[in-house]
Amino acid sequence: MRSYVADLHVHTLLSPCAEVEMTPRNIIEQALEIGVDIVAITDHNAGDNIIAAERAAEGTGILVIPGMEVETREEVHFIALFESLAVYAEWQRFVDLHITELVNDEDAFGGQFVVDHEDNLVEVKEVMLLASLHCSLAEATAEVKRLGGVAIASHVDRPSYSVISQLGFVPADVTLAAVEVSRRCQDKGAQNRIREATGLPLVTASDAHTIGDFINGPKTVLHLEAASLSEVKLALSGSGGRHIGEFLYAPETTR
């Protein structure tokens, strides 16, 4: 058993709200620099840059988890994480069935760029990614569970786009493995109140949209037998000795 520094919520330049500096290669290079062992790529309603991140991480020892930040019909954001690209592809088919037909306004919302592992532009996505899917939170989290993935409610302390801000509570038919607090929620008392109110384990992550966010944003230490999503699941449930450790805040993320 050893400790792993994990950032389970990172956007690339595919998310219209992220800066173009958020290329997969740049994220992995910075992860190496500051000692992050596990990075989940979680763009809004898409995952086209996951393969580039995995290629960029080859030989580094960093685990890239295929993921997505999903926005549901209720305007609730949650992180969906999957064991492999094959499973992720099945999830993507579910998302494609429920995604909006709106076209992105690049001038208003920013570009949505797909790149390769060397930062070469591959495609500009036209569909509006920063919009609600045509499915409920319960439906989406049930599909994540069916696929063996992990669903974590995003930034539940924020006043918008969280399960608490939109619904006021975590409904019984929603399948979550944990809830995430943002960098704004560093008070232990506040964290304990959220843990007690939701009845779920707590993690934190950078929710990075810039390299500065990624470097300085919070990370969660996970105690695992190895770096894999299966081990992360066990840590979230406190099984087999795996567990969630401390939250790291800059500059402590630097080894």
Side-chain angles (χ1 to χ4, degrees):
M1 193 82 66
R2 56 156 283 200
S3 61
Y4 292 83
V5 177
D7 194 334
L8 300 179
H9 188 169
V10 180
H11 295 269
T12 76
L13 69 170
L14 176 58
S15 293
C17 46
E19 297 295 328
V20 293
E21 64 188 4
M22 292 299 283
T23 66
R25 185 177 71 164
N26 204 11
I27 292 167
I28 297 302
E29 287 178 350
Q30 293 302 323
L32 275 173
E33 185 71 21
I34 65 175
V36 177
D37 304 295
I38 300 172
V39 176
I41 299 299
T42 54
D43 285 305
H44 291 288
N45 292 339
D48 301 67
N49 281 337
I50 294 170
I51 293 176
E54 289 195 342
R55 287 285 308 278
E58 287 178 355
T60 66
I62 295 173
L63 171 67
V64 173
I65 296 178
M68 178 184 291
E69 183 166 31
V70 183
E71 181 174 330
T72 67
R73 181 186 298 144
E74 305 93 333
E75 297 187 335
V76 172
H77 287 191
F78 77 92
I79 300 301
L81 307 176
F82 300 95
E83 191 74 54
S84 67
L85 280 172
V87 181
Y88 175 83
E90 191 169 347
W91 165 255
Q92 185 66 60
R93 285 191 285 274
F94 173 86
V95 171
D96 290 343
L97 289 173
H98 296 88
I99 201 163
T100 177
E101 296 179 351
L102 296 172
V103 175
N104 184 44
D105 182 342
E106 186 171 331
D107 292 333
F109 303 109
Q112 303 176 153
F113 304 111
V114 180
V115 296
D116 66 17
H117 67 289
E118 294 180 333
D119 294 355
N120 298 306
L121 181 64
V122 174
E123 178 186 1
V124 178
K125 298 285 283 188
E126 292 188 356
V127 64
M128 180 60 186
L129 299 176
L130 201 58
S132 300
L133 298 182
H134 300 303
C135 65
S136 69
L137 178 61
E139 292 168 334
T141 56
E143 181 66 7
V144 173
K145 181 180 180 181
R146 189 187 73 81
L147 295 172
V150 172
I152 300 174
S154 302
H155 39 64
V156 296
D157 56 301
R158 284 178 48 180
S160 59
Y161 297 112
S162 82
V163 64
I164 302 300
S165 70
Q166 303 307 109
L167 304 178
F169 65 107
V170 179
D173 59 350
V174 170
T175 309
L176 295 170
V179 295
E180 170 206 276
V181 292
S182 75
R183 71 191 66 203
R184 302 176 184 181
C185 186
Q186 298 186 21
D187 177 75
K188 293 289 186 185
Q191 292 174 0
N192 287 335
R193 287 192 291 275
I194 290 172
R195 190 181 289 109
E196 291 170 4
T198 61
L200 290 163
L202 210 65
V203 298
T204 191
S206 69
D207 190 6
H209 291 73
T210 69
I211 288 298
D213 288 344
F214 182 64
I215 294 171
N216 298 308
K219 311 287 184 287
T220 299
V221 176
L222 299 172
H223 296 270
L224 314 170
E225 287 283 1
S228 71
L229 184 62
S230 298
E231 287 283 321
V232 172
K233 290 169 70 174
L234 290 171
L236 296 180
S237 63
S239 301
R242 287 83 163 173
H243 61 279
I244 301 169
E246 67 270 36
F247 294 172
L248 300 181
Y249 301 98
E252 288 82 357
T253 50
T254 301
R255 285 175 176 163

